Each structure stands twice: as structure tokens, then as C-alpha cells.
Amino acid sequence: GQNIDQPTEMTATEGAIVQINCTYQTSGFNGLFWYQQHAGEAPTFLSYNVLDGLEEKGRFSSFLSRSKGYSYLLLKELQMKDSASYLCAVLDSNYQLIWGAGTKLIIKP
Amino acid sequence: SAVISQKPSRDICQRGTSLTIQCQVDSQVTMMFWYRQQPGQSLTLIATANQGSEATYESGFVIDKFPISRPNLTFSTLTVSNMSPEDSSIYLCSVAAGDSYNEQFFGPGTRLTVL
């Protein structure tokens, strides 16, 4: 079966760094996405990785290891507005997105 | 990136009625999807909307309950039929673009409450 695992909830402090992990087992792999979703809003695209390594975009970075079926999203210099759910999703061999359950990130002052 | 709009943004409906949700994209896209997200849950794919042919439904979703139209490459509708309170959810339209469908964007969603 297809499975994506990520922690249910994490807490971090404003100004700090947090790493949200995602492990996956899917039928085929055509890339991994990270989305941010604030309560009551649609998901917004953060990153896409298809090759191994780290992609950096401002305060957010995403890492992928295909051999390990593993990715992480790294958020630096955390701000209160970063409080949201972070969704990991894998594009499978049929080019359909398989979604993790999401990680709720709580930022404390 | 594609700009996606959905109508209505929210609605409150009576049990047994039907609601049609519209999704409009500002550019032609091959792949359009309809998702449901229930409170506190992750996204669940309802179906892939295929232009010019019947939608492809995921397990647990059927055409009689969720008929979908896709008349062209920029527009799709999802109808939630014979609604019950269990259908209360956010319904999201999504499109895939890019050479390897590596660009996937969501519309703002339609928040449906069924009484």
C-alpha cells in the first residue's frame, strides 16, 4: 500500500528553527511536495523536490533522499505567522498526489 | 503559476438538496482534480476531472453522488448530490501543470455546511 508519515503536531519558539520530517512508501515516485495550510484556507505550495538534496527558498528549505524515502522541511527564523499545518505529498507513478495527514506547527512567543 | 477561482466560496444547504461548485482556471491545464477536506483532516481525492470524458473516481466516491463536468481545459464543476450532514466539508479544486506535473495549485475552496 501507499503510506506517508509525518508527525501530528510540533511546537517551536518564535525565532528558532524547526524540522518537519516526512517518510513515504509509494507506488512510484515523481516528486515530493510540501504545502502550508492555515486554518480555514486552501493549501499553498511551498516546495517541490524530485532529485536528492536540499532546495533552499528564503527561510524555508526542503530536503529529499529517495533511497531512504525521506524528506524534511526546515523552517528558520520562525515567525508567529508560520503557525499552520504543513502537508507532505508524493506524486506517484500515475501522477496523483498521495497526501500525508499533515503536521500542525504551533509557534510560541 | 495558475490562478484558480471557485464559486461559491461557502454555502449552507438543506439535507437532500444538491450544490454545484464551479472551478475556473486562468490558463489551460491538462489535469484538474477535486478534493474534499473534512475538519481537522488531510485532503482526500474525490476524482480526476477529464476533459471530454467521464471523470475518474477514487475508491469510496461515485458519479451519482459527485457528478463532475469538464467541458474544456479551463473549467470544471463538481456537484454534491442529495446532501447529508456528513457531506459538510471544504471542497477544493486543484490543477497540475508543468512538464512533469511538478506544479500543483489549489483553488481557495468551497466551505459547505449541510443542515
Side-chain angles (χ1 to χ4, degrees):
Chain A
Q2 310 210 87
N3 194 48
I4 297 185
D5 287 317
Q6 48 181 135
T8 304
E9 186 174 297
M10 299 181 71
T11 302
T13 305
E14 190 177 15
I17 299 173
V18 71
Q19 177 175 311
I20 303 174
N21 296 324
C22 171
T23 58
Y24 63 89
Q25 290 178 305
T26 56
S27 57
F29 180 85
N30 282 301
L32 185 144
F33 293 82
W34 284 97
Y35 286 85
Q36 180 191 61
Q37 187 175 27
H38 286 99
E41 298 181 12
T44 55
F45 170 81
L46 289 178
S47 67
Y48 169 79
N49 294 65
V50 68
L51 299 176
D52 288 352
L54 186 68
E55 297 269 347
E56 297 187 71
K57 242 190 228 182
R59 293 189 300 115
F60 292 5
S61 303
S62 56
F63 171 84
L64 175 68
S65 169
R66 288 172 298 173
S67 62
K68 296 181 179 176
Y70 168 70
S71 172
Y72 68 73
L73 180 69
L74 191 72
L75 292 76
K76 302 176 185 175
E77 300 169 18
L78 286 169
Q79 302 174 10
M80 297 303 292
K81 68 178 182 180
D82 297 329
S83 292
S85 287
Y86 291 85
L87 306 171
C88 173
V90 171
L91 200 60
D92 72 5
S93 55
N94 295 318
Y95 290 96
Q96 283 193 354
L97 279 176
I98 310 301
W99 292 88
T103 299
K104 183 178 180 181
L105 178 63
I106 300 167
I107 311 295
K108 295 187 174 178
Chain B
S1 64
V3 177
I4 307 169
S5 59
Q6 280 185 238
K7 287 197 289 189
S9 58
R10 58 177 63 225
D11 208 341
I12 301 173
C13 300
Q14 295 297 321
R15 183 195 297 261
T17 62
S18 297
L19 176 72
T20 295
I21 302 167
Q22 298 180 5
C23 176
Q24 180 75 53
V25 190
D26 69 342
S27 57
Q28 293 187 339
V29 292
T30 305
M31 306 285 276
M32 291 181 77
F33 307 94
W34 286 99
Y35 285 89
R36 180 171 75 181
Q37 187 174 31
Q38 295 184 307
Q41 305 289 317
S42 190
L43 290 86
T44 301
L45 181 64
I46 298 172
T48 301
N50 302 309
Q51 194 264 329
S53 64
E54 197 171 281
T56 305
Y57 289 84
E58 297 301 303
S59 175
F61 298 96
V62 295
I63 188 171
D64 290 345
K65 175 68 177 177
F66 297 101
I68 288 171
S69 79
R70 177 92 192 268
N72 56 52
L73 293 176
T74 63
F75 185 78
S76 178
T77 67
L78 168 75
T79 299
V80 186
S81 303
N82 188 26
M83 288 184 283
S84 67
E86 291 71 36
D87 294 320
S88 296
S89 187
I90 297 175
Y91 291 85
L92 294 152
C93 170
S94 171
V95 304
D99 293 337
S100 303
Y101 303 120
N102 59 340
E103 300 172 3
Q104 303 235 359
F105 304 100
F106 286 85
T110 296
R111 184 182 294 274
L112 172 63
T113 302
V114 184
L115 302 177

